Amino acid sequence: MEARVVDVLVPINDESIAWQHAVLLHRRVGTALVRLDGGTEIEVALDCVAAANPTPDVDDLAELPHLGEPQLLHALALRFERGAIYTACGPSLLALNPWRDLPLYTDDLLHRYRSMVHGQDVIDQPPHIY
C-alpha cells in the first residue's frame, strides 16, 4: 500500500511567526519528522505542526477549510510574495503594506470598481480597497 502524503505547516524558525509548507514523514512521541519543500528533513515538536490547506492561495480566507493562525499567516505570505496585498476574509478586507510601489491604483481600475453594482459583480473581482 502506498503511503499517503500529509501536507502540513511548520514554523520557519523558533523566533518566527512565519510558517512554511512541509510533508509529514513520521510521527514520534512528542515530535514529528517532516520534509521541507527544499528537501531538507527536520524534526519539530508535534505541537508546532499544523494542517495545511489544499489550496492556500485564495482571494477570500473564508474559503479555506483550515483557518487558524498558521494557515492565515501562510496564506497571507503566499499572496504577499506575488504582490496581492489585499485579501478578503468574509466581508472584511485585510491589507498588507507592500513596502514597494505596485500598480494597484490606476484610473482604469478605479473606474472598473466604481462602475460595478454592489453584489455579484464585485464578488467576482479580486479583493481591492475600491
Side-chain angles (χ1 to χ4, degrees), residues 20-99:
Q20 61 189 323
H21 176 264
V23 173
L24 180 64
L25 299 175
H26 184 71
R27 289 182 195 184
R28 299 183 177 131
V29 177
T31 65
L33 181 65
V34 299
R35 180 180 303 122
L36 304 177
D37 285 345
T40 304
E41 294 182 6
I42 62 170
E43 193 167 337
V44 296
L46 198 52
D47 62 352
C48 291
V49 177
N53 286 302
T55 308
D57 190 357
V58 295
D59 285 341
D60 189 345
L61 297 175
E63 297 173 12
L64 296 174
H66 307 289
L67 186 57
E69 183 178 337
Q71 294 87 357
L72 180 132
L73 293 173
H74 185 248
L76 291 175
L78 291 175
R79 292 181 58 75
F80 182 83
E81 286 174 10
R82 67 176 178 86
I85 64 165
Y86 295 115
T87 304
C89 189
S92 300
L93 180 68
L94 300 175
L96 300 175
N97 187 338
W99 300 101

Coordinates of all heavy atoms in Angstrom, one line a residue, residues 20-99:
Q20 N 5.9 27.5 7.0 CA 6.2 27.0 5.7 C 5.6 25.6 5.5 O 5.3 24.9 6.4 CB 7.8 26.9 5.6 CG 8.4 26.0 6.6 CD 9.9 26.1 6.5 OE1 10.5 26.3 5.5 NE2 10.6 26.0 7.7
H21 N 5.5 25.3 4.2 CA 4.9 24.0 3.8 C 5.9 22.9 4.0 O 7.1 23.1 3.8 CB 4.4 24.1 2.4 CG 3.9 22.8 1.9 ND1 4.7 21.9 1.2 CD2 2.7 22.2 2.0 CE1 4.0 20.8 1.0 NE2 2.8 21.0 1.4
A22 N 5.4 21.8 4.5 CA 6.2 20.6 4.6 C 5.4 19.3 4.4 O 4.1 19.4 4.4 CB 6.9 20.5 6.0
V23 N 6.0 18.2 4.3 CA 5.3 16.9 4.2 C 5.6 16.1 5.5 O 6.8 16.0 5.8 CB 5.7 16.1 3.0 CG1 5.1 14.7 3.0 CG2 5.3 16.9 1.7
L24 N 4.6 15.6 6.2 CA 4.8 14.8 7.3 C 5.3 13.4 7.0 O 4.7 12.7 6.2 CB 3.5 14.7 8.1 CG 3.5 13.9 9.4 CD1 4.4 14.6 10.4 CD2 2.1 13.7 9.9
L25 N 6.5 13.1 7.5 CA 7.1 11.8 7.2 C 6.8 10.7 8.2 O 6.5 9.6 8.0 CB 8.6 11.9 7.0 CG 9.0 12.8 5.9 CD1 10.5 12.9 5.9 CD2 8.5 12.3 4.5
H26 N 6.9 11.2 9.5 CA 6.7 10.2 10.6 C 6.4 11.0 11.9 O 7.0 12.0 12.2 CB 8.0 9.4 10.8 CG 8.0 8.3 11.8 ND1 7.3 7.2 11.6 CD2 8.5 8.3 13.0 CE1 7.4 6.4 12.7 NE2 8.2 7.1 13.6
R27 N 5.5 10.4 12.7 CA 5.2 11.0 14.0 C 5.9 10.1 15.0 O 5.9 8.9 14.9 CB 3.7 10.9 14.3 CG 2.9 11.9 13.5 CD 1.5 11.8 13.9 NE 0.7 12.4 12.8 CZ -0.6 12.6 12.9 NH1 -1.3 12.1 13.9 NH2 -1.2 13.2 11.9
R28 N 6.4 10.8 16.0 CA 7.1 10.1 17.1 C 6.4 10.7 18.4 O 5.6 11.5 18.3 CB 8.6 10.4 17.1 CG 9.2 9.9 15.9 CD 10.7 10.2 15.9 NE 11.3 9.6 14.7 CZ 12.2 10.2 13.9 NH1 12.5 11.4 14.2 NH2 12.7 9.6 12.9
V29 N 6.8 10.2 19.5 CA 6.3 10.7 20.8 C 6.7 12.2 21.0 O 7.9 12.4 21.2 CB 6.8 9.8 22.0 CG1 6.2 10.4 23.3 CG2 6.3 8.4 21.8
G30 N 5.8 13.1 20.8 CA 6.0 14.5 21.0 C 6.7 15.2 19.9 O 6.9 16.4 20.0
T31 N 7.2 14.5 18.9 CA 7.9 15.2 17.7 C 7.3 14.6 16.4 O 6.7 13.6 16.4 CB 9.4 15.0 17.8 OG1 9.7 13.6 17.6 CG2 10.0 15.5 19.1
A32 N 7.7 15.3 15.4 CA 7.4 14.8 14.0 C 8.5 15.0 13.1 O 9.3 16.0 13.2 CB 6.1 15.6 13.5
L33 N 8.8 14.1 12.2 CA 9.8 14.3 11.2 C 9.1 14.8 9.9 O 8.1 14.1 9.4 CB 10.5 12.9 10.9 CG 11.6 13.0 9.8 CD1 12.8 13.8 10.3 CD2 12.1 11.5 9.5
V34 N 9.5 15.9 9.4 CA 8.9 16.5 8.2 C 10.0 16.8 7.1 O 11.2 16.9 7.5 CB 8.2 17.8 8.5 CG1 7.0 17.5 9.5 CG2 9.1 18.9 9.0
R35 N 9.5 16.8 5.9 CA 10.4 17.2 4.8 C 10.0 18.5 4.2 O 8.8 18.7 3.8 CB 10.4 16.2 3.6 CG 11.3 16.6 2.5 CD 11.3 15.6 1.3 NE 11.7 14.3 1.8 CZ 10.9 13.2 1.6 NH1 9.8 13.3 1.0 NH2 11.3 12.0 2.1
L36 N 10.8 19.5 4.3 CA 10.5 20.9 3.8 C 10.5 20.8 2.3 O 11.0 19.9 1.6 CB 11.6 21.9 4.3 CG 11.7 22.0 5.8 CD1 12.8 22.9 6.2 CD2 10.4 22.4 6.5
D37 N 10.0 21.8 1.6 CA 9.9 21.9 0.2 C 11.2 21.8 -0.5 O 11.3 21.3 -1.6 CB 9.1 23.2 -0.3 CG 7.6 23.0 0.0 OD1 7.1 21.9 0.2 OD2 6.9 24.1 -0.1
G38 N 12.3 22.2 0.1 CA 13.6 22.2 -0.5 C 14.2 20.8 -0.4 O 15.3 20.5 -0.9
G39 N 13.6 19.9 0.4 CA 14.1 18.5 0.5 C 14.7 18.2 1.9 O 15.0 17.1 2.2
T40 N 15.0 19.2 2.6 CA 15.6 19.1 4.0 C 14.6 18.4 4.9 O 13.4 18.8 5.0 CB 16.0 20.4 4.5 OG1 16.9 21.1 3.6 CG2 16.7 20.3 5.9
E41 N 15.1 17.4 5.7 CA 14.3 16.8 6.7 C 14.6 17.3 8.0 O 15.8 17.4 8.4 CB 14.4 15.3 6.6 CG 13.9 14.7 5.3 CD 14.0 13.1 5.3 OE1 14.4 12.5 6.3 OE2 13.7 12.6 4.2
I42 N 13.6 17.7 8.8 CA 13.9 18.2 10.2 C 12.9 17.6 11.1 O 11.8 17.1 10.7 CB 13.7 19.8 10.2 CG1 12.3 20.2 9.8 CG2 14.8 20.4 9.4 CD1 12.1 21.7 10.1
E43 N 13.2 17.6 12.4 CA 12.4 17.1 13.4 C 11.8 18.3 14.2 O 12.6 19.2 14.5 CB 13.1 16.2 14.4 CG 12.2 15.4 15.3 CD 12.9 14.3 16.0 OE1 14.0 13.8 15.5 OE2 12.5 13.9 17.1
V44 N 10.5 18.4 14.4 CA 9.9 19.5 15.1 C 9.0 19.0 16.1 O 8.5 17.8 16.1 CB 9.1 20.4 14.1 CG1 10.0 21.1 13.1 CG2 8.0 19.6 13.4
A45 N 8.7 19.8 17.1 CA 7.8 19.5 18.2 C 6.4 19.2 17.6 O 6.0 20.0 16.7 CB 7.7 20.5 19.2
L46 N 5.7 18.2 18.0 CA 4.4 17.8 17.4 C 3.4 19.0 17.6 O 2.6 19.2 16.7 CB 3.9 16.6 18.1 CG 2.8 15.8 17.3 CD1 3.2 15.5 15.9 CD2 2.5 14.5 18.0
D47 N 3.5 19.8 18.6 CA 2.6 20.9 18.8 C 2.9 22.1 17.9 O 2.2 23.0 17.9 CB 2.5 21.3 20.3 CG 3.8 21.8 20.8 OD1 4.8 21.7 20.2 OD2 3.8 22.3 22.0
C48 N 4.0 22.0 17.1 CA 4.3 23.0 16.1 C 4.0 22.6 14.7 O 4.4 23.2 13.7 CB 5.8 23.3 16.2 SG 6.3 24.2 17.7
V49 N 3.2 21.5 14.6 CA 2.7 21.1 13.3 C 1.3 21.4 13.1 O 0.4 21.1 14.0 CB 3.0 19.5 13.1 CG1 2.4 19.0 11.8 CG2 4.4 19.2 13.3
A50 N 0.9 22.0 12.0 CA -0.5 22.4 11.8 C -0.9 21.9 10.4 O -0.1 21.7 9.5 CB -0.6 23.9 11.8
A51 N -2.2 21.6 10.3 CA -2.7 21.1 9.0 C -2.5 22.2 7.9 O -2.7 23.4 8.1 CB -4.2 20.8 9.1
A52 N -2.1 21.8 6.7 CA -2.0 22.7 5.6 C -3.3 22.6 4.8 O -4.0 21.6 4.7 CB -0.8 22.3 4.7
N53 N -3.6 23.7 4.1 CA -4.8 23.8 3.3 C -4.4 23.2 1.9 O -3.3 23.5 1.4 CB -5.3 25.2 3.1 CG -6.0 25.6 4.4 OD1 -7.0 25.0 4.8 ND2 -5.5 26.7 5.0
P54 N -5.3 22.5 1.2 CA -5.0 22.0 -0.1 C -4.7 23.1 -1.1 O -3.9 23.0 -2.0 CB -6.3 21.2 -0.5 CG -7.3 21.5 0.5 CD -6.7 22.2 1.7
T55 N -5.4 24.2 -1.0 CA -5.2 25.4 -1.9 C -5.1 26.6 -1.0 O -6.1 27.2 -0.7 CB -6.4 25.6 -2.9 OG1 -6.6 24.3 -3.6 CG2 -6.0 26.6 -3.9
P56 N -3.9 27.0 -0.6 CA -3.7 28.0 0.4 C -3.8 29.5 -0.1 O -4.0 30.4 0.6 CB -2.3 27.8 1.0 CG -1.6 27.1 0.0 CD -2.6 26.3 -0.8
D57 N -3.6 29.6 -1.5 CA -3.6 31.0 -2.0 C -5.0 31.3 -2.6 O -5.2 31.0 -3.8 CB -2.5 31.1 -3.1 CG -2.3 32.5 -3.6 OD1 -3.0 33.4 -3.1 OD2 -1.4 32.8 -4.4
V58 N -5.9 31.8 -1.8 CA -7.2 32.2 -2.2 C -7.5 33.7 -2.0 O -6.8 34.3 -1.2 CB -8.3 31.4 -1.4 CG1 -8.1 29.9 -1.7 CG2 -8.1 31.6 0.1
D59 N -8.4 34.2 -2.7 CA -8.8 35.6 -2.6 C -9.5 35.9 -1.3 O -9.4 37.0 -0.7 CB -9.6 36.1 -3.7 CG -8.9 36.3 -5.0 OD1 -7.6 36.5 -4.9 OD2 -9.5 36.4 -6.1
D60 N -10.3 34.9 -0.8 CA -11.1 35.0 0.4 C -10.7 33.9 1.4 O -10.9 32.7 1.2 CB -12.6 34.9 0.1 CG -13.5 35.3 1.3 OD1 -13.0 35.3 2.4 OD2 -14.7 35.5 1.0
L61 N -10.1 34.3 2.5 CA -9.7 33.4 3.5 C -10.8 32.5 4.1 O -10.6 31.4 4.6 CB -8.9 34.1 4.7 CG -7.6 34.8 4.3 CD1 -7.1 35.6 5.5 CD2 -6.6 33.9 3.7
A62 N -12.0 33.0 4.0 CA -13.2 32.2 4.5 C -13.4 31.0 3.7 O -14.1 30.1 4.1 CB -14.4 33.1 4.4
E63 N -12.7 30.8 2.5 CA -12.8 29.6 1.7 C -11.9 28.5 2.1 O -12.1 27.4 1.7 CB -12.5 30.0 0.2 CG -13.4 31.0 -0.5 CD -12.9 31.4 -1.8 OE1 -12.0 30.7 -2.4 OE2 -13.4 32.4 -2.4
L64 N -11.0 28.8 3.0 CA -10.1 27.8 3.5 C -10.7 26.8 4.5 O -11.4 27.2 5.4 CB -8.9 28.5 4.2 CG -8.0 29.4 3.3 CD1 -6.9 30.1 4.1 CD2 -7.3 28.6 2.2
P65 N -10.5 25.5 4.3 CA -11.0 24.6 5.2 C -10.4 24.6 6.6 O -11.1 24.4 7.6 CB -10.8 23.2 4.6 CG -9.8 23.4 3.5 CD -9.8 24.9 3.2
H66 N -9.1 25.0 6.7 CA -8.4 25.2 8.0 C -8.1 26.7 8.1 O -7.3 27.2 7.2 CB -7.2 24.4 8.0 CG -7.4 22.9 7.7 ND1 -8.0 22.0 8.6 CD2 -7.0 22.2 6.7 CE1 -8.1 20.8 8.1 NE2 -7.5 20.9 6.9
L67 N -8.5 27.4 9.1 CA -8.2 28.8 9.3 C -7.8 29.1 10.7 O -8.6 29.7 11.5 CB -9.4 29.7 8.8 CG -9.1 31.2 8.8 CD1 -7.9 31.5 7.9 CD2 -10.3 31.9 8.3
G68 N -6.6 28.7 11.0 CA -6.0 29.0 12.3 C -4.9 30.0 12.0 O -4.7 30.4 10.9
E69 N -4.2 30.4 13.0 CA -3.1 31.3 12.9 C -2.1 30.9 11.8 O -1.7 31.6 11.0 CB -2.4 31.6 14.2 CG -1.3 32.6 14.1 CD -0.7 32.9 15.5 OE1 -1.3 32.7 16.5 OE2 0.5 33.4 15.5
P70 N -1.6 29.6 11.9 CA -0.6 29.2 10.9 C -1.1 29.3 9.5 O -0.4 29.7 8.6 CB -0.3 27.7 11.3 CG -0.7 27.6 12.7 CD -1.8 28.6 12.9
Q71 N -2.4 28.8 9.2 CA -2.9 28.8 7.9 C -3.1 30.3 7.4 O -2.9 30.6 6.2 CB -4.2 28.1 7.9 CG -4.1 26.6 8.2 CD -4.1 26.2 9.6 OE1 -4.2 27.1 10.5 NE2 -4.0 25.0 10.0
L72 N -3.6 31.1 8.3 CA -3.8 32.5 7.9 C -2.5 33.2 7.5 O -2.4 33.8 6.5 CB -4.5 33.3 9.0 CG -4.8 34.8 8.8 CD1 -6.2 35.1 9.1 CD2 -3.8 35.6 9.5
L73 N -1.5 33.0 8.4 CA -0.2 33.7 8.1 C 0.5 33.1 6.8 O 1.1 33.8 6.0 CB 0.7 33.5 9.3 CG 0.3 34.3 10.5 CD1 1.2 33.9 11.7 CD2 0.3 35.8 10.3
H74 N 0.3 31.8 6.6 CA 0.9 31.2 5.4 C 0.2 31.7 4.2 O 0.9 32.0 3.2 CB 0.8 29.7 5.5 CG 1.5 29.0 4.4 ND1 0.8 28.2 3.5 CD2 2.8 28.9 4.0 CE1 1.6 27.7 2.6 NE2 2.9 28.1 2.9
A75 N -1.1 31.8 4.2 CA -1.9 32.2 3.0 C -1.5 33.7 2.7 O -1.3 34.1 1.6 CB -3.4 32.1 3.3
L76 N -1.4 34.5 3.7 CA -1.1 35.9 3.5 C 0.3 36.1 3.0 O 0.6 36.9 2.1 CB -1.2 36.7 4.8 CG -2.7 36.9 5.3 CD1 -2.7 37.6 6.7 CD2 -3.5 37.7 4.3
A77 N 1.3 35.2 3.5 CA 2.7 35.3 3.0 C 2.7 34.9 1.5 O 3.4 35.5 0.7 CB 3.5 34.4 3.8
L78 N 2.0 33.9 1.1 CA 1.9 33.5 -0.3 C 1.4 34.6 -1.2 O 1.9 34.9 -2.3 CB 1.1 32.2 -0.5 CG 1.6 30.9 0.1 CD1 0.6 29.8 -0.1 CD2 3.0 30.6 -0.6
R79 N 0.3 35.2 -0.8 CA -0.3 36.3 -1.5 C 0.7 37.5 -1.6 O 0.8 38.2 -2.6 CB -1.6 36.7 -1.0 CG -2.7 35.6 -1.1 CD -4.0 36.0 -0.6 NE -4.6 37.2 -1.2 CZ -5.1 37.3 -2.4 NH1 -5.1 36.2 -3.2 NH2 -5.6 38.4 -2.8
F80 N 1.3 37.8 -0.5 CA 2.3 39.0 -0.4 C 3.4 38.8 -1.4 O 3.8 39.7 -2.1 CB 2.8 39.1 1.0 CG 3.7 40.3 1.2 CD1 3.2 41.5 1.4 CD2 5.1 40.1 1.2 CE1 4.1 42.6 1.6 CE2 6.0 41.1 1.3 CZ 5.5 42.4 1.6
E81 N 3.9 37.5 -1.5 CA 5.0 37.2 -2.4 C 4.7 37.5 -3.8 O 5.6 37.9 -4.6 CB 5.4 35.7 -2.3 CG 6.2 35.4 -1.0 CD 6.5 33.9 -0.9 OE1 6.2 33.2 -1.8 OE2 6.9 33.5 0.2
R82 N 3.5 37.4 -4.2 CA 3.1 37.7 -5.6 C 2.4 39.1 -5.8 O 1.9 39.4 -6.8 CB 2.2 36.6 -6.2 CG 0.9 36.4 -5.6 CD 0.1 35.4 -6.3 NE -1.2 35.1 -5.8 CZ -2.3 35.8 -6.1 NH1 -2.3 36.8 -7.0 NH2 -3.5 35.6 -5.5
G83 N 2.5 39.9 -4.7 CA 2.1 41.3 -4.8 C 0.6 41.5 -4.6 O 0.1 42.5 -4.9
A84 N -0.1 40.5 -4.1 CA -1.5 40.6 -3.8 C -1.7 41.0 -2.4 O -1.8 40.2 -1.5 CB -2.2 39.2 -4.1
I85 N -1.7 42.3 -2.1 CA -1.7 42.8 -0.8 C -3.0 42.9 -0.1 O -3.2 43.1 1.1 CB -0.9 44.2 -0.7 CG1 -1.7 45.2 -1.4 CG2 0.5 44.1 -1.1 CD1 -1.3 46.6 -1.1
Y86 N -4.1 42.8 -1.0 CA -5.5 42.8 -0.4 C -6.0 41.4 -0.4 O -5.9 40.7 -1.4 CB -6.4 43.7 -1.3 CG -6.0 45.1 -1.3 CD1 -5.5 45.8 -2.4 CD2 -6.0 45.9 -0.1 CE1 -5.2 47.1 -2.4 CE2 -5.7 47.2 0.0 CZ -5.2 47.8 -1.2 OH -4.9 49.1 -1.2
T87 N -6.6 41.0 0.7 CA -7.2 39.7 0.9 C -8.5 39.8 1.6 O -8.5 40.5 2.7 CB -6.2 38.8 1.7 OG1 -5.0 38.7 1.0 CG2 -6.8 37.4 1.8
A88 N -9.5 39.2 1.1 CA -10.8 39.2 1.8 C -10.8 38.1 2.9 O -10.2 37.1 2.8 CB -11.9 39.0 0.8
C89 N -11.6 38.4 3.9 CA -11.8 37.4 5.0 C -13.3 37.6 5.3 O -13.7 38.4 6.2 CB -10.9 37.6 6.2 SG -11.1 36.3 7.4
G90 N -14.1 36.9 4.5 CA -15.6 37.2 4.6 C -15.8 38.6 4.1 O -15.3 39.0 3.1
P91 N -16.6 39.4 4.9 CA -16.9 40.7 4.5 C -15.8 41.7 4.8 O -15.9 42.9 4.5 CB -18.1 41.1 5.3 CG -18.0 40.2 6.5 CD -17.4 38.9 6.1
S92 N -14.7 41.3 5.5 CA -13.6 42.2 5.8 C -12.5 42.1 4.8 O -12.3 41.1 4.2 CB -13.0 41.8 7.2 OG -14.0 41.8 8.2
L93 N -11.8 43.2 4.7 CA -10.6 43.3 3.8 C -9.3 43.5 4.6 O -9.2 44.4 5.4 CB -10.8 44.5 2.8 CG -9.7 44.7 1.8 CD1 -9.7 43.6 0.8 CD2 -9.8 46.0 1.1
L94 N -8.4 42.6 4.4 CA -7.1 42.7 5.0 C -6.1 43.3 4.0 O -6.1 42.9 2.9 CB -6.5 41.3 5.4 CG -7.4 40.5 6.4 CD1 -6.8 39.1 6.6 CD2 -7.5 41.2 7.7
A95 N -5.3 44.2 4.5 CA -4.3 44.9 3.6 C -3.0 44.8 4.3 O -2.8 45.0 5.5 CB -4.7 46.4 3.4
L96 N -2.0 44.4 3.5 CA -0.6 44.3 3.9 C 0.2 45.4 3.3 O 0.0 45.7 2.1 CB 0.0 43.0 3.6 CG -0.7 41.7 4.2 CD1 -0.1 40.5 3.6 CD2 -0.6 41.8 5.7
N97 N 1.1 46.0 4.0 CA 2.0 47.1 3.4 C 3.0 46.4 2.5 O 3.8 45.6 3.0 CB 2.7 47.8 4.5 CG 3.5 49.0 4.0 OD1 3.8 49.1 2.9 ND2 3.7 49.9 4.9
P98 N 3.0 46.7 1.2 CA 3.9 46.0 0.3 C 5.3 46.5 0.4 O 6.2 45.8 -0.2 CB 3.3 46.4 -1.1 CG 2.7 47.7 -0.9 CD 2.1 47.7 0.5
W99 N 5.6 47.6 1.0 CA 6.9 48.2 1.1 C 7.6 48.4 -0.2 O 8.8 48.4 -0.4 CB 7.9 47.3 2.0 CG 7.3 47.1 3.4 CD1 6.7 46.1 3.9 CD2 7.4 48.1 4.4 NE1 6.3 46.3 5.2 CE2 6.7 47.5 5.6 CE3 7.9 49.4 4.6 CZ2 6.5 48.2 6.8 CZ3 7.7 50.0 5.8 CH2 7.1 49.4 6.8

